[in-house]
Amino acid sequence: MDDSTKIRNGYKLEDWARHYKESDLTWDIGEASPPLVRLWDEGKLKPGKVLIPGCGQGHEATFLAERRFDVVAVDYVPAALELAEKNLKEKNLTARLLGQSFFDLDSSHDGSYDWMFEQTFFCAIDTSDRTRYVQTAHRILKTGGVLVGLFYETGEEGGPPWNTTEENILEFFSEKFVVEDLNKTENSAERRRGREWLAWLRKK
Ligand SMILES: C[S@@+](CC[C@H](N)C(=O)[O-])C[C@H]1O[C@@H](n2cnc3c(N)ncnc32)[C@H](O)[C@@H]1O
């Protein structure tokens, strides 16, 4: 998958696994996403328990673990977690890395996270899974917990990445989350500039 790929069918585990096998990680910006870093620099993020779905090689996991967050990062491709583990180890950091589907998080996760951080995962899943995504995020967060999301408006048909508009975010999240902030962020990685929505969604 890269930003110009137009695939009509959804991606399955084996499709993502192939990208890792071929070291074809064109979505990977090589660092924690700049809008997350800015939120930290502005003092808006306080250390707590955070879940990162579809974490890939874990730039956000590393960034938050380094800042004393209790990080649980999920990706169902083992090779992704191997890379995440390597990145954490290089900095002498630890996080709980879970090799499973985000949608199958068991009930031990229910109501236990202060934060969830979304980056290039909502756009990676099939659009038919968006309701399940919202339900899972709502289930695992504490009441009042916050989903900080970077949602990718590709402006294109097909996917992944699947286009995510402001209307989509409001449509899917408003029932279970208070949309406290939703803005096009200006400091995305160069290739996504002007096309990412930064959302601050508090669990109702
Ligand atoms: C586009 S990549 C983004 C990775 C990372 N967030 C980043 O921005 O570098 C999407 C990731 O989600 C993972 N993924 C897709 N569906 C998943 C699911 N249902 N549960 C867990 N991980 C999943 C893929 O293996 C892949 O690593």
Side-chain angles (χ1 to χ4, degrees):
M1 181 189 96
D2 70 17
D3 291 359
S4 62
T5 306
K6 293 194 181 59
I7 298 160
R8 302 280 162 177
N9 304 321
Y11 255 32
K12 297 194 169 37
L13 192 158
E14 54 267 29
D15 300 304
W16 293 111
R18 193 178 59 249
H19 279 274
Y20 286 94
K21 192 164 179 223
E22 295 171 359
S23 296
D24 176 14
L25 308 182
T26 37
W27 60 78
D28 190 306
I29 60 171
E31 60 184 2
S33 51
L36 170 68
V37 175
R38 182 146 88 182
L39 286 173
W40 171 261
D41 290 343
E42 289 171 349
K44 296 190 174 142
L45 304 174
K46 303 280 174 245
K49 190 166 178 187
V50 60
L51 186 120
I52 303 173
C55 64
Q57 64 173 311
H59 301 301
E60 285 72 30
T62 302
F63 180 84
L64 294 171
E66 207 166 13
R67 284 155 185 82
R68 294 184 295 103
F69 283 75
D70 178 7
V71 176
V72 179
V74 184
D75 203 296
Y76 65 11
V77 174
L81 295 188
E82 283 164 24
L83 292 170
E85 177 136 40
K86 181 168 163 280
N87 287 330
L88 284 155
K89 259 198 184 141
E90 270 169 18
K91 296 199 164 181
N92 225 1
L93 297 165
T94 52
R96 190 169 162 215
L97 302 178
L98 298 181
Q100 63 163 96
S101 174
F102 168 66
F103 302 117
D104 296 336
L105 287 169
D106 67 33
S107 59
S108 68
H109 296 271
D110 290 2
S112 63
Y113 293 89
D114 302 291
W115 304 96
M116 177 167 135
F117 187 75
E118 154 67 44
Q119 124 95 9
T120 334
F121 177 63
F122 191 81
C123 69
I125 59 170
D126 283 1
T127 51
S128 59
D129 280 328
R130 288 181 172 183
T131 300
R132 265 208 303 164
Y133 176 109
V134 175
Q135 287 166 348
T136 309
H138 187 265
R139 175 167 67 77
I140 61 149
L141 282 165
K142 293 177 181 169
T143 302
V146 174
L147 162 51
V148 179
L150 264 181
F151 294 96
Y152 191 14
E153 181 163 8
T154 66
E156 309 214 346
E157 284 183 33
W162 300 99
N163 190 32
T164 311
T165 63
E166 181 178 25
E167 290 73 30
N168 295 150
I169 299 164
L170 293 171
E171 175 195 344
F172 280 94
F173 289 96
S174 294
E175 189 192 331
K176 290 182 179 296
F177 291 83
V178 181
V179 181
E180 292 191 349
D181 203 5
L182 179 58
N183 276 295
K184 273 265 169 79
T185 174
E186 288 157 17
N187 70 327
S188 298
E190 181 64 37
R191 70 177 99 152
R192 298 191 194 131
R193 194 144 300 159
R195 297 192 288 162
E196 280 186 317
W197 291 96
L198 178 57
W200 190 274
L201 307 170
R202 191 176 297 278
K203 173 175 168 169
K204 285 183 184 170

